[in-house]
Amino acid sequence: MLSSLRIIFAGTPEFATQHLYTLFHYSRHKIIAVFTKPDSFSGRGKHLIMSSVKIFALEKKLPIFQPLSLNTSETIHQIAEFNPDIIVVVAYGLLIPKIILDLPKFGCINVHASLLPRWRGAAPIQRAIIAGDSETGISIIKMNSEIDSGDIIYQVRCNIFQNDTSKKLYDRLAYIGANALLEVLDNISKGNSMISHSQNEMLSTYAKKISKKEAKINWTLSAKQIVRYVRAFNPWPISFFTLNDKNMNIKVIDAQILSVNTSIRNRFSKPGTISATNEDGIQVVTGDGILNLTLLQQPGKKVVSAKDMLNSKKDWFIPGIILN
């Protein structure tokens, strides 16, 4: 039994920071080092951006390391010298070689935002929403050399609600994951046996990384599918369509499914066609059903209701216009 574990924490985005925050403030364990991805250039001005985890670690004066790769003799030696009891990995973004996985007394554990083996990979939250899953959760696994395929130590389930965006689900899972991590670490430090089980490879699915080009709305999909994309891509990369005559992309922040009106479908059969506009929104024909756009954003402008956009830009959204 150990009163306190010596922990190396490896993570990069805000999701990881919330776990690091909880470890730092609410556990008795000692964070001896923080590993995060190197600073990256972002935005039109190509400013150097620090990761959310690095910002927190700097504030708390935790030792920070940002190697380009963990598979170097220098990094392996650094980690070995720290003599960690365990390495905690949350959305780190770099592969961890087997030699490092085997260094700590209790190995390396990973907090993953899905019910593994479903949605292994980089974007489990978004892919679960896009697929129309009714639930997801947090999995804590003993890491091996394959991506998100280690034995499952602990799982917590979480419902996905109809109005959930990635941000809403992300926040719930971060809270659940951080508390689950505390429980797992406390059990390990107390010497309690954590019963694990292997993943069923037959049930595995892969959550590939989200790309900006996916955010362009495909009007041939059903209204139900498009709404899922809108929710999944909020807050990033945000779904959008193009006004052809303006050569302008309009972001869709929120949308709703409307029941199919056969007279509208007969009049406007091509997906992407604006079928009607009113104070409730802008109605667009899809491959199956009518989609009502309710919150929109022009480039460089604030988010507004469709009603407000129609008040100033009604000629942009005349029924019969085809959105791209």
Side-chain angles (χ1 to χ4, degrees), residues 49-246:
I49 304 297
M50 294 185 293
S51 75
S52 176
V53 161
K54 181 179 179 180
I55 292 169
F56 179 85
L58 282 171
E59 179 187 330
K60 302 304 179 186
K61 297 181 172 53
L62 297 170
I64 302 167
F65 298 87
Q66 296 179 275
L68 291 171
S69 167
L70 295 184
N71 201 14
T72 66
S73 57
E74 179 185 4
T75 301
I76 293 166
H77 179 70
Q78 280 178 333
I79 291 174
E81 281 207 319
F82 273 112
N83 189 29
D85 293 314
I86 195 166
I87 297 176
V88 173
V89 180
V90 187
Y92 179 30
L94 291 182
L95 292 176
I96 301 178
K98 188 175 187 304
I99 189 169
I100 291 178
L101 295 177
D102 293 338
L103 280 175
K105 178 179 180 180
F106 297 107
C108 299
I109 62 173
N110 173 234
V111 182
H112 186 76
S114 82
L115 294 174
L116 292 170
R118 188 161 178 79
W119 303 127
R120 296 173 177 173
I125 294 174
Q126 293 95 329
R127 297 300 174 192
I129 292 174
I130 290 169
D133 291 359
S134 60
E135 70 170 359
T136 183
I138 287 292
S139 299
I140 299 181
I141 63 172
K142 182 77 176 287
M143 294 181 70
N144 60 21
S145 55
E146 303 295 325
I147 295 175
D148 300 329
S149 62
D151 289 352
I152 296 169
I153 301 170
Y154 195 82
Q155 281 189 323
V156 185
R157 308 183 92 82
C158 172
N159 289 330
I160 301 177
F161 301 111
Q162 286 298 314
N163 65 342
D164 271 341
T165 61
S166 284
K167 178 65 168 65
K168 289 178 181 178
L169 191 53
Y170 182 104
D171 289 344
R172 285 209 307 279
L173 289 173
Y175 177 82
I176 292 169
N179 284 282
L181 176 61
L182 290 185
E183 186 169 345
V184 167
L185 291 173
D186 284 348
N187 274 305
I188 290 172
S189 67
K190 292 173 183 176
N192 297 338
S193 60
M194 298 292 291
I195 298 173
S196 62
H197 63 276
S198 60
Q199 298 184 35
N200 185 342
E201 294 297 322
M202 298 294 290
L203 300 178
S204 70
T205 56
Y206 183 66
K208 69 177 182 178
K209 187 176 180 179
I210 300 296
S211 67
K212 286 187 177 180
K213 67 180 181 180
E214 285 184 86
K216 186 176 177 66
I217 293 174
N218 178 357
W219 297 107
T220 64
L221 298 176
S222 70
K224 180 184 289 186
Q225 289 173 300
I226 295 172
V227 163
R228 289 175 185 166
Y229 276 99
V230 170
R231 288 165 45 216
F233 292 165
N234 184 346
W236 189 91
I238 302 291
S239 294
F240 70 92
F241 61 83
T242 303
L243 288 171
N244 290 327
D245 61 334
K246 305 292 181 187

Side-chain angles (χ1 to χ4, degrees), residues 44 212 215-217 219 226 229-231 233-243 247-255 282 291-306 309 316-317 323-324:
R44 292 181 181 178
K212 286 187 177 180
K216 186 176 177 66
I217 293 174
W219 297 107
I226 295 172
Y229 276 99
V230 170
R231 288 165 45 216
F233 292 165
N234 184 346
W236 189 91
I238 302 291
S239 294
F240 70 92
F241 61 83
T242 303
L243 288 171
N247 193 29
M248 179 188 295
N249 293 337
I250 303 292
K251 293 180 178 180
V252 178
I253 310 302
D254 197 17
I282 299 166
L291 187 70
N292 188 42
L293 310 180
T294 56
L295 284 179
L296 302 170
Q297 185 177 25
Q298 293 176 237
K301 304 290 186 179
K302 66 179 183 179
V303 176
V304 298
S305 68
M309 186 167 284
W316 291 7
F317 303 99
L323 305 176
N324 192 8

Side-chain angles (χ1 to χ4, degrees), residues 308-324:
D308 286 344
M309 186 167 284
L310 287 169
N311 285 339
S312 60
K313 306 293 183 184
K314 191 173 182 65
D315 59 316
W316 291 7
F317 303 99
I318 298 170
I321 287 178
I322 299 173
L323 305 176
N324 192 8

